[in-house]
Amino acid sequence: MPGEDRLTPGEGLMMPGAGPMMPGEARRAEVDTDTHPEDDAGRIADAALKPATANRGSHPAKRPPYRFSLAGLLMLLSLIALGSGYIVTLVRLRNVQAELAVLRQETGYLEPTPDGTIAAVRLTSDQPMTYRLRVRVPQSPPYRIAYSSVWPTDASAPRWFAAVPVPPGESVVVVRVLNDPRDGRWKITTLRRAPSGTRRVATVLPAEHIAKFRGSHDWLSTGVTRSTASFPGGESLRILDERILAGEGATMLYGDKPPDQDMVGVYAELQPDVGPL
């Protein structure tokens, strides 16, 4: 174009105060002119970060094998406290059960029975001719404890002297043969203890009975034992049958045949309180 300067091959650019430039040098100048110092700093930072990033990807950092938080520590302490308390309670419970078993052996234990039944169990006693029992009777019919010291000849049951009423529920019964210190006479007594109160009845013994009780003889003990005995309500339960084995009557002890002579002993029966003895 007219008035337009053109470069011919081999002709360099002219810079003020400098000689002519070759074409390759012009291109390098243009590139160097476009470079900014901030870009160089960014490339240096990227180059410094690349090895660290590569190392993290190829070699993961190791963590502690066990890490506890505060909540986890509190939970662990709670479990330890609960476990310790359970063990202590279990040991105490076993000790109490052992003591209870010994206490039941010493004092007797009347096991639970169905409603409407009567039950009795023999208790321990450390006194001669003293018998302790625990009985349980229902609300209806009313019950009593009849007692005697003789089973007459050819009779089907002892000849009952008297009876003590038994309230519904559990009661402790004590039957004794003793010399009453108040009047010096030998008696057979029956005492009943219940939440409603205590009741005692006594009968003076005949002289022939006293001689046998004071003598040295063998005894045959039947009736209720240390294990709970129960029967349906409305029936009778022989709780004591302690016979003195003396004379020819001692041989008549088995079967349903009544004795052929009076059998002296201690007899008590839990029976419905209906009609005379």
Side-chain angles (χ1 to χ4, degrees), residues 19-20 26 34 44 53 65 69 78 90 155 168-169 187 207 220 227 232 241 265 277:
D34 295 337
I44 294 172
T53 306
S69 62
S78 300
L90 183 62
K187 301 176 182 178
L220 177 67
S227 299
D241 195 328
L277 293 172

Side-chain angles (χ1 to χ4, degrees), residues 226-249:
R226 299 285 296 277
S227 299
T228 300
S230 62
F231 282 84
E235 296 187 7
S236 298
L237 174 60
R238 186 71 56 82
I239 58 177
L240 280 180
D241 195 328
E242 306 290 319
R243 306 182 191 186
I244 297 178
L245 304 183
E248 296 180 357

Side-chain angles (χ1 to χ4, degrees), residues 3-266:
E4 182 179 355
D5 296 334
R6 293 187 178 182
L7 295 177
T8 59
E11 185 178 2
L13 295 176
M14 295 297 292
M15 295 292 295
M21 296 179 62
M22 299 300 294
E25 293 179 354
R27 287 193 296 270
R28 284 195 300 269
E30 293 176 359
V31 172
D32 294 338
T33 304
D34 295 337
T35 302
H36 196 276
E38 293 181 359
D39 295 338
D40 293 338
R43 284 194 298 271
I44 294 172
D46 292 341
L49 291 176
K50 282 180 180 180
T53 306
N55 291 335
R56 284 200 300 268
S58 59
H59 300 286
K62 293 183 179 180
R63 295 183 178 181
Y66 302 103
R67 299 180 66 183
F68 292 99
S69 62
L70 180 59
L73 182 60
L74 292 177
M75 180 64 70
L76 179 61
L77 294 177
S78 300
L79 292 176
I80 293 175
L82 291 175
S84 302
Y86 175 79
I87 294 174
V88 171
T89 303
L90 183 62
V91 172
R92 290 180 178 177
L93 179 60
R94 289 182 176 177
N95 293 336
V96 170
Q97 289 177 342
E99 294 177 0
L100 180 60
V102 173
L103 183 63
R104 286 177 175 176
Q105 290 179 357
E106 294 178 351
T107 62
Y109 173 63
L110 189 59
E111 297 178 356
T113 54
D115 294 337
T117 61
I118 60 174
V121 67
R122 187 85 165 257
L123 309 181
T124 57
S125 176
D126 56 358
Q127 298 294 326
M129 290 185 293
T130 300
Y131 308 94
R132 301 175 63 249
L133 304 104
R134 188 184 301 274
V135 300
R136 182 192 299 124
V137 299
Q139 292 287 339
S140 178
Y143 271 84
R144 65 193 178 193
I145 295 179
Y147 66 92
S148 175
S149 66
V150 60
W151 190 319
T153 304
D154 297 329
S156 61
R159 184 175 70 242
W160 305 116
F161 293 164
V164 179
V166 179
E170 290 192 10
S171 303
V172 175
V173 179
V174 181
V175 181
R176 300 183 64 187
V177 175
L178 78 163
N179 185 5
D180 194 337
R182 296 175 299 178
D183 53 15
R185 295 189 294 179
W186 282 81
K187 301 176 182 178
I188 179 171
T189 67
T190 299
L191 181 143
R192 180 266 298 156
R193 293 191 182 96
S196 59
T198 301
R199 182 77 178 270
R200 179 180 180 271
V201 179
T203 302
V204 177
L205 292 172
E208 59 271 21
H209 293 183
I210 297 174
K212 289 189 177 181
F213 283 124
R214 299 185 66 180
S216 178
H217 304 286
D218 293 329
W219 289 69
L220 177 67
S221 178
T222 59
V224 171
T225 64
R226 299 285 296 277
S227 299
T228 300
S230 62
F231 282 84
E235 296 187 7
S236 298
L237 174 60
R238 186 71 56 82
I239 58 177
L240 280 180
D241 195 328
E242 306 290 319
R243 306 182 191 186
I244 297 178
L245 304 183
E248 296 180 357
T251 61
M252 305 298 297
L253 300 175
Y254 301 98
D256 297 331
K257 183 179 179 180
D260 58 358
Q261 66 177 16
D262 291 352
M263 292 290 297
V264 178
V266 180

